[in-house]
Every structure is written in structure tokens, then in C-alpha cells.
Amino acid sequence: MLFSELAEYYDKLESISSRLAMIDVLTEALKLVGKGEMQAAIYITQGTLAPAFEGIEFGMAEKLAEEAIAIATGYTKEQVDSSFKKTGDLGLTAQDMKGKSRLKSISSNRYTVLEVYNMMRKIATTSGAGSKDLKIKMLANMIAAANPVEAKYIVRYPLGQLRLGVGDSTIMEALSVMATGSREFKKELERAYNICSDLGFVGEELSTGGKKAVEKMHVAIFKPIRPALAERLPTAEEIIERLGGTASVEQKYDGFRLQIHKKGIKVRLYSRRLEDTTEMFPDIVKATLDEVKVEDIIFEGEALAFNEATGELFPFQETIQRKRKHGVEEKVEQLPLHLFAFDIMYLNGKDMLHEPYEKRRDEIEHILKGGELILPTTRIVTKSPKELELFFEKSVENGLEGIMAKDMKAPYIAGARKFSWIKMKRSYKGELSDSLDLVILGYFLGRGSRAEFKFGGLLCGTYNRKRDMFETITRLGTGFSEAQMSELREKLDKIKTKSKPARVDSVVEPDFWVIPKYIVQVNADEITKSPTHTCGRERQKDGTEIGYALRFPRLVGNETIRSDKGPEETTTTQEVIGMFKEQKKVSLKES
Ligand code: AMP
């Protein structure tokens, strides 16, 4: 498929907002993608070069793209820059300047989708002396050979700002329609995606081997599995009832999640976002080789720093210092880690996802017997809400975050939030029982005493899984230290956009929109209904539209921006609706 054809479809996608219409357009486009280039087409549509665990990123600066546009169109850098100041989007600038290029088109060669992808990969992976000039030259060559619409996307892609308005969920629906004529097959595609975390790969399997190839996809070592997620319930009674009368109740540790893959003597570690973090934790690699006495395994747990003298676990603020790329060895000495293992997904050629939790738990306990650094999570099995409550209180007293109750019979449900895991966290009166992870969608400029920081709060939102859109839920203005405000301002300035990003639904207008990228942890007094925000918005009988909002929101948590979650891992609109209902039940009980 020619890239110019794909670019035409992208152009159409950008102009529509109905999700169904978007699926139709994307389906049409995907039908034209040839065998062997589906992987590339999907990565481009996702705006990435590879799945997170491969660690290949663009990191291209706007200045560099400006230079490439100037070279390819015969305008000066200053002219490109002044156009960019007007459009706020270098893609549009490239399109415009290509349309009135001062240079004759240097080649009649039209790039295919695969060629564009391969060249972009080359640009991203070129490094060392002189690489900056080389990158500019390669990008300029591509822009020079492109038509104006192609140029728009050729420039936006390496800047990480495709602005198509489609997320993974929409891509999967389009793939399903492409292959089967209906959206039904999305479920199977989702299953495949959840066990390999590589949508490009799933698409390629589908394109070359059809439905059967996708159905056959199974767990594989060194392809991280998308993590299982927990639901919430506020009381011990409800948890026991929901889990069918018996629960395995584990301590909930506040560190960072690691998924460990071991094949013989090769070990790789993946973060919650499925990035390869092996180099950061040589001690966990060593402990795996020393203590996990099986040939091949995938298992996961929470890593926490501890005090070697007393054995005490450190709080998250200490543990997080271990997440670093430099000075690793020094920190390994200062802050040794324990790994509290809570699940196993693969063992010596056997996919364990479908085994019931109790069997997986037995297996992990058996494997880790006698270990020193890698231990199974502490837990009880109980039928009694009272006992659960006591275990929860003891855990909190010991400085832990709370408990995680698990369904004894449930499989490991990759990539989804289900009631097979239910969390209960410590909380304080007048506070929601769990904080929310919200994506920053925009920011407001400061007035009064904060004006010198030019920071007046954030517009934050949830992710609506059904609509594959981000919806606003609150304007967040409290809980920030001055240092946090300047940190945020600096980070957000780099990703601000002139207009509302395509996947954002909002009636509030912040001073600046930003690309949905960063996550903040927020607590509030309660969730309320509100006409101001689009989270869970529904038309009422009287014609007004009401959504959900937060009362007295404040920034909480140990990091200003959560490093372990991406925009689609924010609290979903569907979870907010669930929390709103639970909160109502609790307040009825209290009154
Ligand atoms: P939350 O981030 O509050 O939604 O809680 C889910 C997270 O708790 C998981 O992603 C894990 O990182 C962490 N966690 C801590 N202890 C456990 C446990 N015993 N079982 C499962 N997850 C745990």
C-alpha cells in the first residue's frame, strides 16, 4: 500500500468524530494493507515504532523537524518557525509549505507504508556523532518526496502527535471488521493483545494467517502479558460475598510491579507499563537465577526496598529511588529489594493463565520455598468478613497499603479489571476509599500569588473504554507544592497543543490543551454529578446533560506524575460510575 493512500484515510479520520464512522474508515484502510506490512501500518496508526518492551522511541525535537521541512521545501527555518507559531502544529505547517514548495519535487518515487516505517525506524535508531544531521537529512528526503497530505503525517509521526483520534480499542474493532465483517472478533483480538502486548504483531498474524492464527496465539516468554487489574469494594462483607464465600486475602504492598520472564539463564523484567526494566534491577535478576529453581517461568510480584538491618519494608518514597538508569549498582547496595510474588502465568512450557488462582498460588509457593529475596505475598484464606477486616487492619498498622482479595477459582485475567481481584485500601474519613489516576488534558494559567509560576491548575480526565475517548472530571488546583507546579508547567509546555486533541471530549476550555500523556493521582471528598464535566455524561429527561465530577479534588501520591501508568491506564469512566454507586451505598449505611 502506498503511504499516500494511508495518509488520505488518516485525513478522513481526522475530520470525523463519530466512533462508528471512524471504524468504517479505518477498516477500509486496513483492507488495502498488504501482507507483510500490517505490523508497520498498525504501529504507524498507534503513533509508535514498536511495543513498549522493545524500547525504541523517536524522541525527535520540533527544531529538528523544522529544519527538515525547511530543507525539503526551500523556505528558511525562520519562515517555517513563523508558520508553526500560527498553526501550532508542524504537520499542518509541513502540509502548507509542501503545497507551495519553492523546490521542484525531486523524485516521482512514491513510498509504500513499509518503506516509510522502515525509514522512520532508521531515523529513531541512528545515534552517535553526526546523527542529528543525518536524521534531519533522512526526514527532509521523505518530506521532499511526499505530497502535502503525506508530509503532514510524515512530520507528525516522529513528533508523537498523529492526532487521528483512534486508540487501540478502535484499531482492534477495525481489524475485526476487516477480517470477519463484524465487530465480534474484537474479543479474540483483545485476548491475543493481552497476552503479547504487541498489537502490530496481532494484526500481522491476522493478516497473514487469518482468524485461526490469532486464536492459536499463546503466552510466550519475553513477550510481556498485560497485567491483571483489581476492582474495588468498600467492605469486607461485600468482598467475601462477591468472591463466593471464600477469599484469599493478600497484603497489598506499595512498591512497583514487576513481571519476570526467565528462560534458562536468561532473565528479563518488565514494568507495569510493560517496559523492559531489566538493567535497573540486577539484584532481582540474580535473585531469580539463585532462588527460582525452574527452567522457564513467567511470574509477577511487587518489588519493595527494605532495611537490611531490621528487615523492615521501606515506604514507596524510598523504593522509588531504585527506578533509575544511572548509578544502579550504588543503589542496589543502599536499597536492596524484596520481591513479593503474587502470581504465575507460565511454567515450563505450560500456559498457567487458565489455571484457577488456588492452583497458581500453590505452584508459586512451592517454587519459592526457602527463598530469601523473592517471597510469596503474605496472605490468609478466609470465609469470615471479621477475619478479613482484622487482617486488613493489621496490614495497615504494619505500614502496608491495604489488602488484595482474590477469587480462589478465577483464572489470571490479563489486561482487564475484574472482580477476581478486589482491593481495599486504607483511607481517611471524608475521603474517597481509593484515589483516582487521572490524565492531564489541559492547564490553566495562574492568577494572583501563583501568577509567577504561571500555573493555575490542571484539567483532568478519565478514560472511557467504550468510547475510546478521554472525558473531563475535574479542575485540579490544590495539593501542589511550588516545586511541583514548576515541574508540571515545564513538562506540560512541551506537549501543549493549539486545539483540543482529537480523543478528548470536554465542554471546559483550559488556557492550554495538552496531549493526553501524564497521569496524576487525585483524591477528593466525593464524586458528585455535574453539568460541567463530560465523564459519564448522559442526557437527562429535561434535556440537560449531566456527568460526574469531584468535590474538593487534591493531588495525592508519592510522585507528581505517575511513572507506572500511561493515559489509557487512568481510572476509567466506568470505574467512576461504579465508585459513585458504592459511595452512595456507604453513605446510606452511615446515616
Ligand atoms: P492499584 O494500583 O491501587 O489499582 O492496585 C493494584 C496494584 O497493587 C497492582 O498493580 C500491584 O502493583 C499492586 N499490588 C500490591 N500487592 C499486591 C498483591 N498482593 N496482589 C496483586 N497486586 C498487588
Side-chain angles (χ1 to χ4, degrees):
M1 182 185 196
L2 289 178
F3 187 72
S4 55
E5 295 174 275
L6 188 59
E8 285 299 329
Y9 282 105
Y10 284 170
D11 213 30
K12 260 197 224 167
L13 275 177
E14 240 190 281
S15 67
I16 49 182
S17 57
S18 140
R19 183 128 188 278
L20 288 178
M22 280 176 144
I23 293 170
D24 284 348
V25 171
L26 193 56
T27 305
E28 247 182 80
L30 293 176
K31 279 184 180 160
L32 299 179
V33 175
K35 283 195 173 70
E37 59 180 5
M38 184 58 93
Q39 192 153 5
I42 290 181
Y43 291 151
I44 301 176
T45 309
Q46 283 182 306
T48 61
L49 277 170
F53 59 89
E54 279 189 29
I56 305 172
E57 279 171 24
F58 278 118
M60 181 177 285
E62 277 165 354
K63 283 277 163 251
L64 207 142
E66 282 188 2
E67 274 190 56
I69 298 171
I71 294 170
T73 58
Y75 287 92
T76 63
K77 272 191 275 179
E78 291 67 32
Q79 285 168 319
V80 175
D81 196 52
S82 112
S83 155
F84 177 39
K85 290 218 165 74
K86 279 187 220 130
T87 60
D89 171 358
L90 271 177
L92 287 180
T93 289
Q95 181 177 18
D96 182 44
M97 300 202 129
K98 260 312 278 192
K100 47 183 194 194
S101 177
R102 288 181 168 170
L103 303 177
K104 273 221 168 96
S105 192
I106 49 161
S107 115
S108 56
N109 175 29
R110 303 239 63 89
Y111 289 120
T112 65
V113 170
L114 195 57
E115 282 168 339
V116 166
Y117 174 76
N118 285 338
M119 276 183 281
M120 289 292 184
R121 214 173 146 113
K122 205 155 166 206
I123 291 177
T125 49
T126 298
S127 63
S131 63
K132 192 177 144 227
D133 289 341
L134 209 59
K135 282 176 195 245
I136 295 172
K137 204 169 147 212
M138 286 192 274
L139 189 64
N141 282 342
M142 288 171 77
I143 302 169
N147 68 33
V149 177
E150 269 181 294
K152 172 163 77 170
Y153 297 103
I154 283 174
V155 167
R156 282 182 181 175
Y157 179 33
L159 292 173
Q161 302 185 14
L162 223 46
R163 298 166 194 250
L164 299 183
V166 300
D168 292 349
S169 173
T170 307
I171 298 177
M172 283 188 272
E173 276 178 55
L175 279 171
S176 170
V177 181
M178 172 201 85
T180 68
S182 107
R183 284 156 68 185
E184 288 287 295
F185 195 64
K186 180 186 176 200
K187 260 207 177 109
E188 192 54 38
L189 291 166
E190 228 163 9
R191 181 201 70 87
Y193 183 29
N194 285 338
I195 58 172
C196 73
S197 311
D198 184 347
L199 195 52
F201 180 67
V202 175
E204 194 62 57
E205 288 288 290
L206 181 69
S207 148
T208 46
K211 273 170 72 178
K212 280 226 167 65
V214 175
E215 280 158 1
K216 268 206 247 149
M217 279 179 64
H218 52 79
V219 172
I221 296 193
F222 306 133
K223 289 247 179 203
I225 297 164
R226 298 179 81 209
L229 305 171
E231 270 292 353
R232 322 172 163 76
L233 281 176
T235 66
E237 286 83 14
E238 280 166 278
I239 292 177
I240 298 276
E241 192 189 317
R242 186 82 199 211
L243 295 180
T246 310
S248 168
V249 187
E250 301 184 7
Q251 287 187 335
K252 186 172 190 301
Y253 303 85
D254 195 7
F256 47 84
R257 190 167 184 167
L258 282 182
Q259 196 178 112
I260 302 182
H261 292 227
K262 170 183 183 293
K263 189 172 181 58
I265 55 162
K266 191 173 169 208
V267 175
R268 300 229 67 93
L269 313 177
Y270 303 97
S271 70
R272 189 186 179 294
R273 293 183 78 172
L274 307 175
E275 286 156 343
D276 189 327
T277 50
T278 314
E279 309 315 322
M280 291 185 194
F281 311 111
D283 46 343
I284 298 281
V285 173
K286 183 171 181 310
T288 304
L289 291 171
D290 290 347
E291 300 177 18
V292 184
K293 298 282 182 217
V294 291
E295 199 48 28
D296 299 343
I297 187 170
I298 303 176
F299 70 106
E300 73 173 341
E302 191 86 355
L304 267 85
F306 68 100
N307 181 332
E308 243 173 335
T310 63
E312 244 179 333
L313 295 175
F314 279 131
F316 186 80
Q317 290 92 314
E318 298 287 325
T319 298
I320 195 66
Q321 295 181 45
R322 286 295 313 271
K323 273 200 161 180
R324 53 167 61 212
K325 292 201 172 123
H326 305 288
V328 171
E329 287 301 335
E330 186 189 318
K331 279 285 165 197
V332 167
E333 291 287 313
Q334 284 171 14
L335 287 172
L337 293 176
H338 265 308
L339 185 90
F340 293 97
F342 52 75
D343 226 309
I344 174 170
M345 295 91 129
Y346 182 87
L347 180 63
N348 294 333
K350 186 166 184 241
D351 180 339
M352 297 288 288
L353 296 184
H354 309 287
E355 298 293 337
Y357 163 87
E358 52 189 338
K359 189 138 181 240
R360 301 198 309 276
R361 173 78 199 193
D362 282 351
E363 199 70 74
I364 197 80
E365 278 184 15
H366 175 72
I367 293 169
L368 298 179
K369 217 170 210 135
E372 270 178 47
L373 291 178
I374 305 184
L375 307 164
T377 51
T378 303
R379 66 137 189 190
I380 56 165
V381 175
T382 183
K383 291 182 189 310
S384 146
K386 190 87 220 127
E387 206 177 344
L388 189 156
E389 192 83 41
L390 283 174
F391 186 75
F392 171 78
E393 273 158 23
K394 210 170 89 201
S395 302
V396 171
E397 262 167 41
N398 290 339
L400 295 158
E401 224 190 349
I403 55 102
M404 194 64 113
K406 301 191 175 170
D407 182 338
M408 304 287 284
K409 305 274 178 252
Y412 184 93
I413 307 175
R417 192 176 296 281
K418 290 279 153 66
F419 279 96
S420 52
W421 287 15
I422 307 174
K423 60 182 167 179
M424 194 159 104
K425 293 210 238 179
R426 57 169 186 248
S427 69
Y428 303 98
K429 223 179 158 48
E431 197 177 66
L432 293 174
S433 65
D434 193 7
S435 55
L436 292 91
D437 294 316
L438 302 178
V439 59
I440 303 176
L441 301 174
Y443 65 88
F444 299 90
L445 292 179
R447 287 168 194 90
S449 68
R450 281 184 182 181
E452 59 191 283
F453 294 101
K454 293 203 169 112
F455 177 79
L458 306 173
L459 180 63
C460 297
T462 53
Y463 173 56
N464 188 325
R465 254 176 198 266
K466 287 199 188 122
R467 300 177 64 205
D468 198 12
M469 296 272 286
F470 298 101
E471 300 173 334
T472 73
I473 186 169
T474 199
R475 178 175 170 163
L476 178 68
T478 42
F480 303 95
S481 68
E482 293 186 354
Q484 282 177 316
M485 284 190 251
S486 17
E487 179 192 339
L488 277 166
R489 178 69 204 254
E490 200 182 298
K491 283 212 160 85
L492 296 177
D493 262 348
K494 295 204 178 104
I495 55 163
K496 69 183 179 193
T497 63
K498 275 247 162 99
S499 55
K500 184 165 68 59
R503 289 169 74 204
V504 175
D505 183 12
S506 177
V507 286
V508 181
E509 275 276 331
D511 290 312
F512 289 100
W513 294 104
V514 296
I515 295 169
K517 174 172 180 173
Y518 294 123
I519 311 299
V520 282
Q521 200 178 339
V522 178
N523 211 323
D525 283 10
E526 63 174 331
I527 299 170
T528 55
K529 294 222 171 181
S530 148
T532 319
H533 291 287
T534 50
C535 171
R537 209 156 198 248
E538 271 189 358
R539 186 177 288 277
Q540 310 296 300
K541 279 192 196 117
D542 63 3
T544 56
E545 296 208 64
I546 303 279
Y548 295 87
L550 299 181
R551 205 163 92 87
F552 297 130
R554 57 246 175 204
L555 182 79
V556 294
N558 303 304
E559 297 173 286
T560 313
I561 285 167
R562 279 196 74 145
S563 56
D564 63 342
K565 287 194 174 177
E568 281 164 20
E569 278 121 21
T570 50
T571 302
T572 59
T573 299
Q574 288 71 25
E575 281 178 85
V576 168
I577 298 170
M579 287 170 85
F580 178 77
K581 286 184 188 147
E582 288 304 336
Q583 153 195 295
K584 257 174 119 181
K585 272 201 249 162
V586 174
S587 58
L588 280 177
K589 266 188 215 160
E590 279 171 356
S591 59

